[in-house]
Amino acid sequence: MTKSEANGDRILMRGGSLVTGDGRTFLECASIRIRKGLIAEVMPGIQDCVEGEKVIATGGTLMLPGFINGHAHATILGPSMPSGSQPLPPTEVEWQRNRHLLSGTTSLINVCGLAMMDERDGKLAPHPMDIHMTSAHTPHSISAADQIDGNGLSPRHRSAHIEDVIRAGCRVLGEAGGGQTLGGGAQDYRFIPDAIEERTGQRITVLMARRLKEAVLGRRLDGLSTASDADLMNLAEEAQLQDKITPQALRSLLQERVLAPVKNALLGLEEIAEAATKFGLPAIFHHATPTAATLLSLKRRLPNTRMIAAHANHPSFLPAEAVEAARQLKALGVTIDVSTLDVIDTRFRNRPDNLDALVEAGLVDMISTDYAGGDWDTIPSALHRMTRVNGQSLPQVVALATGNVARVFPEIFGDRGFIAPGKRADIVITDLHNVSKVRHVFIAGQAHVLNGRF
């Protein structure tokens, strides 16, 4: 099959198995009729073509709605991350975008939060994947960014208000907080190693940065259960820093580097919750041990806030803690998002324990990738794990990346997420027995990936 054979205003896909995205429906053999980029009919069995239709034989494969990634970074050319860091090089943004598309993502929300709406593409051509942006333009969020980095922010960014960005077309708020400003993974892979290298001339590993951070500040950044100077010296020796910095200086450096933006970042969470309530828009919140209590408090105070608790499987939680925090938030109506991070295939810094615990507890509403320093694993790889390891049905897990996400963000995804008449014809075709093996990707009825290639 070539792109010319696959594209057209009148298409019939037939013969493949079908998952519609509603969390329940699976058809062993089905046909999909597409007209002008929209799904016209969904029918069981192999249907006969009509005059002028292009037929795409899908027998032996699985037809799914295009995946919707509700929490990603590094896919726009404005200031990056909640730290307001310098924009990533265009080649890196293009690489990240293409990775998402090749793995079946047809729509995506970039949640860096401090770019302006006209900064999405820059010098890059618009991408076939539908990329949306968020706003976290509140005074304390910008102050927190400046305290940790802020080198990508201009006076225009610093003077922007959420109201301005909403008027420009933004329909999702956040990410409220972030790993950079709230002691998360970005501290481990960037800011702590940078600070120690600047002080000592030696760079430590990502894993050592996390161990030092938790030894000095605790998993909740609360200063409890912290290491003694002797234990800290043992870690410094393991990192080969013992002759370059004293335990006291190391402790002070980590406290200064990690804690400086935390107060403002937490106040930023409150500002974004209030804005989300005022404008009736969904808002994405950094969910980890330092913010869990704050999210509960905000949701109780502002019950109408459409809150998404991002990456509820954050590695700062122990599995039981992740489950309990998600259970309390979900009981209040908060949407529980989990992220692939690097926990499925890569496992560089993180493991799947928290993800597994949340899936098996039945608490997950949607799945995204986040960023994980660029080491993120794909959404379909996580869906495959859920069916094989966690015993979930295929319709259940596909909904986490399709129909459920469309329901959470109807302002931008209300026309997709389901294989149903009237919906946009975003369709992913994968291997029948392994949803992580993506073959073809169609967006609005147009083929953008065929046989795993652009």
Side-chain angles (χ1 to χ4, degrees), residues 64-351:
L64 312 168
F67 301 132
I68 305 173
N69 188 344
H71 188 114
H73 293 276
T75 59
I76 63 167
L77 280 175
S80 65
M81 309 298 166
S83 52
S85 299
Q86 286 284 347
L88 293 172
T91 53
E92 179 66 18
V93 172
E94 186 174 34
W95 158 240
Q96 296 292 339
R97 289 177 170 189
N98 289 344
R99 283 187 64 201
H100 286 290
L101 180 58
L102 286 166
S103 62
T105 293
T106 55
S107 302
L108 176 148
I109 304 176
N110 186 100
V111 301
C112 291
L114 295 180
M116 306 302 289
M117 296 296 285
D118 58 7
E119 294 182 296
R120 185 187 69 177
D121 297 320
K123 296 179 180 179
L124 292 174
H127 200 267
M129 187 170 57
D130 188 21
I131 300 170
H132 291 261
M133 297 166 62
T134 61
S135 174
H137 296 86
T138 71
H140 285 101
S141 298
I142 293 170
S143 294
D146 280 329
Q147 285 177 296
I148 191 64
D149 189 350
N151 287 321
L153 300 179
S154 69
R156 179 190 181 208
H157 299 111
R158 292 191 175 89
S159 63
H161 299 282
I162 276 182
E163 292 91 337
D164 303 327
V165 188
I166 292 172
R167 278 194 292 270
C170 178
R171 292 296 176 266
V172 182
L173 307 186
E175 179 183 6
Q180 302 80 7
T181 59
L182 285 163
Q187 284 283 356
D188 304 342
Y189 63 72
R190 180 183 171 193
F191 291 104
I192 292 172
D194 283 357
I196 289 177
E197 184 175 24
E198 183 180 342
R199 177 70 67 87
T200 68
Q202 182 164 316
R203 193 165 189 86
I204 62 172
T205 67
V206 173
L207 295 176
M208 177 55 70
R210 177 183 290 179
R211 292 172 66 191
L212 287 169
K213 176 186 72 180
E214 293 184 354
V216 170
L217 301 171
R219 287 186 297 110
R220 295 177 175 81
L221 307 187
D222 56 9
L224 301 177
S225 302
T226 57
S228 65
D229 281 353
D231 290 336
L232 196 55
M233 176 56 77
N234 289 336
L235 277 177
E237 289 179 1
E238 189 176 338
Q240 299 181 335
L241 296 172
Q242 69 274 18
D243 297 327
K244 297 178 172 63
I245 190 169
T246 66
Q248 296 82 4
L250 182 57
R251 192 182 298 275
S252 295
L253 178 64
L254 289 166
Q255 289 171 337
E256 177 185 349
R257 172 59 58 169
V258 177
L259 295 181
V262 168
K263 181 178 179 181
N264 276 319
L266 290 173
L267 291 170
L269 265 64
E270 183 172 350
E271 291 169 335
I272 290 171
E274 290 172 347
T277 303
K278 176 180 177 181
F279 294 103
L281 292 175
I284 298 166
F285 291 79
H286 181 86
H287 178 46
T289 53
T291 62
T294 300
L295 297 193
L296 278 168
S297 175
L298 286 173
K299 183 61 177 175
R300 287 169 178 148
R301 182 166 70 83
L302 301 167
N304 293 327
T305 302
R306 293 166 59 191
M307 181 181 290
I308 297 95
H311 43 63
N313 56 318
H314 195 275
S316 61
F317 290 114
L318 298 176
E321 293 172 338
V323 167
E324 182 55 28
R327 196 184 306 279
Q328 292 184 50
L329 288 168
K330 192 176 178 76
L332 296 175
V334 174
T335 297
I336 304 301
D337 164 75
V338 294
S339 291
T340 62
L341 302 170
D342 59 347
V343 309
I344 309 299
D345 302 314
T346 307
R347 300 198 191 180
F348 172 48
R349 289 181 294 123
N350 303 301
R351 292 186 53 79

